[in-house]
Amino acid sequence: MGYVQKRLASTAAKLAHASPSQAPAFPPKEAIASTSSKTEFFDAQTWAALQPPPKSELTAFAHRIGLGHIRKSPGVIQQACTHPSFVPFFRQHLPDEPIPETNGNLATLGNSLLGLFATEYIHSSYPHLPTRVLMAAVSAYVGPSPCEAIAKEMGATPLLRWHRMPITDLRPAVSHSEALSSIPRALTALVHQHRSVHSAREFVETFFLSRDVDLRSMIKFSDPKLALVETVAKFGRERPISRLLKETGRHSNSPIYVVGVYSGADQLGEGFGSSLKMAEFRAAEDALRRLYLTRQPPDSVQLPTSTFPSGEGSIFVAEEWKTHYVPVEMGDSEVHYASSGRSKAQSPGRRASAEDENDVDT
């Protein structure tokens, strides 16, 4: 191999979809200028983007994510890694070649499946979670950013075929992160299509739902004390009372107060701060989070899709299970007072009274 061929091979190997196994064929025919006809300038980056990924990389990727058992895995994996934005780019440079299959329909189906599996998992694990926080949690588990991060962890970035399309009046712009996030969605749809709902749910649990997501930062209150008053009244409990539990340095420049919130003899929450109001604020927040972020033990969580057949079959025929399926009870878990809303308005007919602004009971 000559010096020019080595340079072409090393440069193309750094570009997308160019494999070192293609080095003996360098330089490609398009790069060789003919003396009899005028040849356009050869763009190595465009040529590399038009090349399909090697079957060896597709097969290795399929086995790496556990999809090597699917028949014709290199073909379906290549389809899952081809974004619809690649089609106009392909037609422009190779109009006579057959158009490659894209993951547009697969990504749409996979997005719905991801939302279904994440919603049932979060709702069964946190039965008291408010609807607004539930939606934010679903996005944190299976939203665009997690899909992009998981695609990178899978090693799907070199296999992605896409083209940056500018924004127009009829369609928004397509970014690399948006195209990359479509791969895990399409893979979820492939598992559902070639296997079953049960297998698709196991795939989502392995790559998406097994991660830890901090839900505490998603539930915020503009006035947790008033929200706690209405929440306690909603459940028919005694009115919450704040009590000073511990203190130190009251007459210094750095005092610390520990306040507890009680409903009758039961302590609902506890908080600390450099002032009584700060400690009471945090204690009310702690009491609300203890309620709305109560999590079911993992061994007692049952999902609706677990009643579907584990193999190919009708989803309307439930399998025989060793334990009887018990659905999660849907209670009144909404926050009636302003919670992380933009308006921060109180509920209709609710006014802050002097009784709500009582001091800490010392």
Side-chain angles (χ1 to χ4, degrees):
M1 184 183 295
Y3 174 77
V4 177
Q5 290 179 320
K6 290 182 179 180
R7 287 294 303 271
L8 281 173
S10 60
T11 302
K14 300 177 182 178
L15 301 175
H17 317 309
S19 174
S21 61
Q22 298 173 338
F26 285 162
K29 296 180 180 180
E30 296 84 352
I32 301 176
S34 176
T35 57
S36 59
S37 60
K38 184 178 181 181
T39 306
E40 296 181 357
F41 175 74
F42 175 72
D43 188 356
Q45 193 167 9
T46 302
W47 175 86
L50 291 172
Q51 304 307 308
K55 291 185 178 181
S56 58
E57 293 187 12
L58 295 172
T59 304
F61 176 76
H63 284 275
R64 185 166 60 248
I65 62 178
L67 300 182
H69 58 278
I70 296 180
R71 292 175 299 178
K72 300 180 181 179
S73 58
V76 296
I77 295 298
Q78 181 175 342
Q79 178 184 357
C81 297
T82 304
H83 193 263
S85 61
F86 182 74
V87 174
F89 175 73
F90 187 86
R91 286 177 176 174
Q92 179 182 357
H93 294 86
L94 300 175
D96 299 331
E97 299 292 332
I99 300 176
E101 297 181 348
T102 63
N103 64 2
N105 294 333
L106 292 175
T108 302
L109 175 59
N111 186 48
S112 300
L113 291 172
L114 287 173
L116 169 64
F117 298 141
T119 301
E120 67 170 4
Y121 171 78
I122 298 172
H123 177 66
S124 300
S125 301
Y126 302 92
H128 300 289
L129 204 63
T131 303
R132 184 175 297 177
V133 185
L134 176 64
M135 296 171 60
V138 171
S139 179
Y141 272 103
V142 297
S145 297
C147 287
E148 178 188 2
I150 290 174
K152 293 180 179 179
E153 294 174 2
M154 289 179 174
T157 304
L159 304 178
L160 175 64
R161 307 180 76 186
W162 76 293
H163 183 65
R164 187 181 301 277
M165 301 174 62
I167 186 173
T168 63
D169 297 336
L170 301 178
R171 65 169 184 264
V174 178
S175 61
H176 180 266
S177 60
E178 179 182 354
L180 190 61
S181 63
S182 66
I183 296 180
R185 298 168 183 166
L187 294 176
T188 303
L190 282 179
V191 178
H192 172 266
Q193 179 180 357
H194 291 271
R195 290 302 174 184
S196 62
V197 178
H198 181 75
S199 300
R201 180 167 58 83
E202 289 184 350
F203 179 82
V204 174
E205 288 178 353
T206 302
F207 288 97
F208 290 88
L209 304 182
S210 59
R211 300 177 300 112
D212 292 331
V213 176
D214 183 19
L215 301 182
R216 293 178 61 88
S217 59
M218 299 181 185
I219 179 169
K220 300 179 181 179
F221 303 91
S222 59
D223 194 332
K225 185 177 179 180
L226 291 179
L228 182 61
V229 170
E230 291 196 354
T231 302
V232 170
K234 179 180 63 177
F235 288 97
R237 300 290 298 274
E238 295 184 21
R239 184 182 182 82
I241 298 177
S242 303
R243 297 174 183 173
L244 179 62
L245 302 181
K246 298 178 183 179
E247 68 169 300
T248 181
R250 177 184 285 265
H251 300 291
S252 65
N253 59 353
S254 56
I256 297 295
Y257 301 93
V258 179
V259 173
V261 179
Y262 291 81
S263 176
D266 300 329
Q267 183 178 355
L268 304 180
E270 186 176 313
F272 70 95
S274 58
S275 64
L276 290 175
K277 288 187 177 180
M278 180 185 297
E280 187 180 13
F281 185 95
R282 291 177 175 176
E285 270 191 338
D286 181 60
L288 290 169
R289 286 172 176 170
R290 286 175 182 268
L291 168 64
Y292 294 114
L293 297 180
T294 300
R295 184 170 186 175
Q296 294 278 37
D299 55 347
S300 62
V301 173
Q302 291 183 315
L303 304 177
T305 55
S306 63
T307 60
F308 291 172
S310 56
E312 295 182 359
S314 175
I315 63 175
F316 300 102
V317 180
E319 291 185 348
E320 295 294 336
W321 294 92
K322 297 180 180 180
T323 58
H324 181 66
Y325 173 74
V326 180
V328 179
E329 296 183 0
M330 299 182 63
D332 186 7
S333 60
E334 295 304 313
V335 182
H336 295 307
Y337 186 75
S339 60
S340 70
R342 295 182 179 179
S343 62
K344 297 182 180 180
Q346 298 183 11
S347 302
R350 182 77 171 97
R351 293 188 306 170
S353 60
E355 191 177 0
D356 294 332
E357 302 296 336
N358 56 348
D359 297 332
V360 179
D361 187 4
T362 58

